[in-house]
Amino acid sequence: AAGVIQSPRHLIKEKRETATLKCYPIPRHDTVYWYQQGPGQDPQFLISFYEKMQSDKGSIPDRFSAQQFSDYHSELNMSSLELGDSALYFCASSLAVQTETNTEAFFGQGTRLTVV
Amino acid sequence: AQTVTQSQPEMSVQEAETVTLSCTYDTSESDYYLFWYKQPPSRQMILVIRQEAYKQQNATENRFSVNFQKAAKSFSLKISDSQLGDAAMYFCAYRSWGTASKLTFGTGTRLQVTL
C-alpha cells in the first residue's frame, strides 16, 4: 500500500540558508500535518492543511511557511535557518472526516534536517 | 487545549514478560480518539493501537491491549509476551473528533527489552 512520502530524507544546510521539505500524502488523503521532533523530544505540531487551506496552526516560527497544492502534496519552507531548527520533520496525512475505519494519521519517514 | 501526560520516561521489561505503559490526558471533549505510536531507532512513527472514546470495550491488537478509563482520563498500553523488537519509544496521542484535527502527543516512554 502507498505510504506518505517525504523528500529529501536528509538535508544539511548552513545557518541563514533556506530549506524546502516536501510531503506527498497517501492517495485520497485530503489533510496534511507537519510536525517537528527535536532530539529526545516528542513531535510538536507545526501546521496542517485541509483541502489546500490552512486548518490549524501550532508552534510554527514566522520564518517557516507551508502550503498544500492542488494535487494535495505539501511543502514546508524554512528560511533564515538557525542551529535550533535541526530536527526530524514529519509529515502525516489523513482523511479529514473520521469514520469507523478511519481515525488515524499516517506518518512519513521524516526529513532529518541538520543546520551547521 | 488538550494535554497528554506520560509519567514514565523509561521502562524495562524482560523478554516474554508483560509491561504496562501509562498515559493520562486532559480534555473537556466527550468524543475523541486515543492512540499509541511506536518509534523504533529508525524513528519511523508506527501506529500500535487506537481507541475510540465512545467505545467502552478496550482495544486489542495481538500482543498489545489498552486499558481505557474514560472517567479517569487514563489510557494505558499493555504489551504481553514482550519481544526484543518491542524496544522503542512509545508515544500516547490524542485526537479530537472533528474535521482535520491534529494529534497531540505525550512526552514518550522509552521501553527497553532485556534478555
Side-chain angles (χ1 to χ4, degrees):
Chain A
V4 178
I5 304 297
Q6 290 187 247
S7 68
R9 292 289 309 281
H10 302 274
L11 192 58
I12 300 175
K13 291 286 185 178
E14 293 189 352
K15 281 192 304 183
R16 293 181 288 279
E17 283 194 318
T18 296
T20 297
L21 279 54
K22 297 184 178 183
C23 170
Y24 297 87
I26 290 172
R28 293 185 290 110
H29 279 191
D30 50 16
T31 305
V32 169
Y33 312 82
W34 286 97
Y35 287 83
Q36 178 192 57
Q37 186 180 27
Q41 297 181 356
D42 54 294
Q44 294 294 313
F45 173 70
L46 293 177
I47 196 167
S48 62
F49 292 87
Y50 164 55
E51 284 292 343
K52 292 148 279 184
M53 299 285 289
Q54 180 181 308
S55 58
D56 199 355
K57 191 173 181 180
S59 51
I60 184 169
D62 292 340
R63 299 177 289 108
F64 295 5
S65 65
Q67 59 181 321
Q68 186 180 33
F69 294 86
S70 58
D71 64 351
Y72 294 101
H73 94 272
S74 178
E75 294 183 5
L76 177 65
N77 297 293
M78 311 161 71
S79 63
S80 303
L81 286 169
E82 302 173 356
L83 296 178
D85 296 330
S86 296
L88 186 61
Y89 290 83
F90 281 111
C91 171
S93 76
S94 73
L95 287 170
V97 178
Q98 294 159 40
T99 64
E100 176 73 22
T101 57
N102 163 53
T103 60
E104 65 261 36
F106 295 84
F107 284 79
Q109 292 187 294
T111 293
R112 187 181 301 277
L113 173 67
T114 303
V115 182
V116 298
Chain B
Q2 294 78 33
T3 59
V4 179
T5 301
Q6 293 179 249
S7 58
Q8 307 156 314
E10 290 190 11
M11 292 284 284
S12 183
V13 63
Q14 281 194 319
E15 200 177 18
E17 296 296 307
T18 296
V19 65
T20 299
L21 308 184
S22 302
C23 173
T24 59
Y25 57 95
D26 188 25
T27 184
S28 58
E29 299 172 338
S30 58
D31 293 321
Y32 50 87
Y33 303 91
L34 296 164
F35 306 89
W36 279 97
Y37 279 87
K38 169 185 177 181
Q39 189 175 41
S42 68
R43 302 196 75 183
Q44 172 77 46
M45 292 291 280
I46 302 166
L47 178 67
V48 174
I49 198 165
R50 69 182 187 203
Q51 174 79 43
E52 295 85 348
Y54 63 84
K55 289 187 177 179
Q56 293 186 341
Q57 186 173 8
N58 289 322
T60 62
E61 285 287 342
N62 301 314
R63 298 182 295 108
F64 299 87
S65 61
V66 298
N67 183 4
F68 173 50
Q69 301 289 328
K70 190 172 184 179
K73 297 180 183 174
S74 170
F75 182 61
S76 61
L77 173 69
K78 185 171 85 171
I79 306 174
S80 304
D81 186 26
S82 297
Q83 301 175 359
L84 293 177
D86 295 333
M89 197 74 169
Y90 286 82
F91 290 100
C92 178
Y94 175 103
R95 189 183 190 196
S96 300
W97 181 89
T99 301
S101 57
K102 67 179 185 291
L103 283 166
T104 299
F105 288 90
T107 51
T109 296
R110 182 171 303 281
L111 178 65
Q112 284 187 314
V113 181
T114 58
L115 293 171

